[in-house]
Amino acid sequence: MNTKIYQVTEQDTMLLEAAGQILRSGGLVAFPTETVYGLGANGLDGQAVKKIFAAKGRPSDNPLILHIAEISGAEKIGVINPCAARLMQAFWPGPLTVIVRKKDCVPDEVTAGLDTVAIRLPSQKVARALICAAGVPVAAPSANLSGKPSPTAPEHVIQDLDGKVDMILDGGSANIGIESTVIDTTGVFPVILRPGGVTLEMVRSIFPQAQAEQHKKEGSADYRPKSPGMKYKHYAPKAKVIVFERNAEEKINRELHRCSEQGLKAGVFCRSSSSYSADHIIRWGDTSAQMAACLFGALREFDGYEVDEILCEAPEKEGVGEGVRNRLYKAAGFDIR
Ligand code: TXA
Ligand code: MG
């Protein structure tokens, strides 16, 4: 397939209309959002949605998020209870995906047969203009090959999906850098299934009883995620990843010494203030938000350098730090020291 690739802003009406037409008629369009790039298809067309799974190599039991452009679109696809409505009012548009009971128009291909549906209203302007132009809810997972780090820049999407999709819209870098918070509103109180830009503290300011699922290692006895996607090994770069929590500088220096003795190429992902002598160093800044913005790009970059090991300082827990830790722990297969 010949993939058309265009730079786009929300003002490129003709281009967005053409992209919307591709979606309406069953094709695939990759597009920017404020979290990560998405790979979109018409969310009411089961056959179109199947193409997403084929292009990504995604297991079909992992449901997709439906993206909408106006809050009023939510009730057409889901049953909006008072809890969901308050969360939508408070945090949309933005990096929050709300799980509600689904309506009949949502095909099984989107929900993987569940009776619930995930809905998100992104804030990124190109994303909203595209969904408007499509005139249908847009089903979209992250626009990466399954198992690779999520794409936060157009180059990542091109690397993974050129030749596999009809169009890629290049709208610059995603500014948050990790995927949306997924929150389940079908129980007695809201539960965060995947941490992201909307944090537990933010949700608790409205629902003090809100909870978050704990980070758990795949395969452990108590590992029964409610969000099917959380069970897959995600975000895996080729290199071995190790996360360092306390006394990171001292421990990382020790590992760097070991790597050099063993003839292994090492990369370090760390705060700007840290200093190491390693083959490749990528610095994220100081805050967990800065780390979120460059985490997935850094994992891809280290793969490009063909390092054997990636040694990471853990981020602070504040803000989006919980979400960053969740992604980092998975990338490291829970090798946390
Ligand atoms: O920021 C994001 O959420 C990005 C952008 C493109 O919007 N999308 C994204 O999609 O990360 P994806 O498919 O990579 O992740 C969707 C997550 C998966 O963990 C999936 O299992 C979960 O949402 N999910 C979807 N529908 C669900 C449902 N009905 N119940 C529970 N979890 C659901
Ligand atoms: Mg994904």
Side-chain angles (χ1 to χ4, degrees):
M1 179 188 291
N2 177 28
T3 302
K4 300 187 188 77
I5 304 173
Y6 298 106
Q7 288 188 350
V8 63
T9 72
E10 71 278 13
Q11 269 129 32
D12 294 322
T13 322
M14 301 263 282
L15 179 53
L16 288 162
E17 200 40 64
Q21 176 58 38
I22 292 175
L23 289 174
R24 264 196 308 283
S25 56
L28 299 182
V29 177
F31 62 98
T33 87
E34 71 278 22
T35 56
V36 300
Y37 270 73
L39 175 58
N42 180 345
L44 301 180
D45 174 350
Q47 292 309 313
V49 170
K50 276 189 182 163
K51 294 183 191 168
I52 292 180
F53 290 90
K56 281 183 56 101
R58 177 177 172 114
S60 62
D61 65 344
N62 191 3
L64 304 177
I65 298 169
L66 288 184
H67 296 71
I68 57 176
E70 302 295 338
I71 291 196
S72 58
E75 63 191 23
K76 296 184 187 142
I77 48 183
V79 179
I80 311 306
N81 62 36
C83 168
R86 279 190 74 187
L87 291 169
M88 291 169 178
Q89 286 296 341
F91 300 112
W92 280 2
L96 183 74
T97 294
V98 181
I99 310 276
V100 297
R101 301 262 163 239
K102 81 172 194 92
K103 288 204 170 154
D104 288 345
C105 62
V106 179
D108 280 344
E109 285 82 358
V110 169
T111 61
L114 298 175
D115 62 356
T116 54
V117 62
I119 312 178
R120 173 158 120 79
L121 200 171
S123 62
Q124 213 274 4
K125 292 197 169 81
V126 170
R128 289 184 73 178
L130 173 67
I131 302 161
C132 273
V136 289
V138 175
S142 48
N144 53 298
L145 291 175
S146 205
K148 291 258 242 142
S150 290
T152 52
E155 306 83 75
H156 305 155
V157 182
I158 295 167
Q159 251 173 28
D160 282 11
L161 296 177
D162 192 10
K164 297 190 164 128
V165 303
D166 297 286
M167 188 181 276
I168 297 174
L169 295 177
D170 166 355
S173 292
N175 58 20
I176 296 178
I178 62 168
E179 307 86 344
S180 62
T181 302
V182 176
I183 192 160
D184 184 6
T185 66
T186 61
V188 277
F189 48 76
V191 179
I192 292 182
L193 306 180
R194 178 175 75 180
V198 172
T199 64
L200 182 60
E201 299 75 66
M202 290 161 78
V203 174
R204 280 191 174 157
S205 71
I206 303 176
F207 292 104
Q209 342 77 300
Q211 300 292 331
E213 284 205 336
Q214 297 306 306
H215 306 297
K216 281 183 195 131
K217 185 173 177 173
E218 289 100 298
S220 60
D222 57 348
Y223 190 70
R224 249 174 277 104
K226 188 147 187 220
S227 192
M230 301 306 276
K231 73 175 182 262
Y232 295 104
K233 186 172 191 314
H234 261 82
Y235 321 115
K238 288 181 228 144
K240 173 181 168 63
V241 179
I242 311 175
V243 184
F244 296 87
E245 299 263 13
R246 277 173 300 274
N247 304 326
E249 278 198 70
E250 186 190 317
K251 290 182 196 159
I252 289 177
N253 275 315
R254 212 179 309 138
E255 295 305 314
L256 284 171
H257 187 71
R258 173 185 56 78
C259 286
S260 88
E261 280 189 334
Q262 296 176 341
L264 297 173
K265 220 164 148 186
V268 180
F269 188 43
C270 60
R271 284 175 186 73
S272 296
S273 53
S274 304
S275 76
Y276 297 102
S277 139
D279 298 297
H280 295 282
I281 300 181
I282 300 177
R283 293 192 167 82
W284 77 70
D286 307 301
T287 63
S288 50
Q290 289 168 319
M291 188 179 190
C294 62
L295 172 66
F296 289 140
L299 295 179
R300 283 181 184 253
E301 199 177 326
F302 282 127
D303 267 350
Y305 297 141
E306 302 199 316
V307 300
D308 301 292
E309 297 195 12
I310 303 171
L311 310 173
C312 292
E313 292 182 357
E316 311 306 326
K317 286 193 172 146
E318 44 77 35
V320 74
E322 196 57 24
V324 181
R325 278 166 187 261
N326 169 276
R327 310 312 192 271
L328 202 52
Y329 289 173
K330 289 187 172 194
F334 285 78
D335 190 344
I336 307 159
R337 302 185 187 176

